[in-house]
Amino acid sequence: MEKMREFGAYGVGMSSFGPSIYGILDKKNRDAFKATKEFIGENGIVFKTKAQNHGFELKR
């Protein structure tokens, strides 16, 4: 988590099911993703995803 902050993530945290961690990025600091991926190497998985900016929708 410390390295992700050093690489430029706006915020980092650990998921409730750990040891997964996450970082908040956008186009301005996307180099942090590449740096994190290089730092983790073959020891883990680094991937991107988008936040869900709305609640659940029930469709009938």
Side-chain angles (χ1 to χ4, degrees):
M1 291 172 57
E2 184 176 325
K3 282 294 187 186
M4 288 181 75
R5 279 192 289 269
E6 287 178 23
F7 296 148
Y10 293 125
V12 298
M14 183 178 289
S15 71
S16 60
F17 59 88
S20 299
I21 62 170
Y22 60 88
I24 309 298
L25 307 172
D26 65 9
K27 293 178 183 176
K28 295 178 185 175
N29 63 355
R30 67 177 134 204
D31 291 339
F33 173 78
K34 183 178 178 184
T36 301
K37 193 167 179 121
E38 289 173 2
F39 177 76
I40 296 295
E42 299 295 321
N43 297 319
I45 300 169
V46 179
F47 63 92
K48 295 183 215 180
T49 187
K50 292 183 178 183
Q52 179 179 334
N53 293 330
H54 57 82
F56 180 77
E57 293 181 29
L58 180 62
K59 296 182 180 181
R60 295 179 188 216

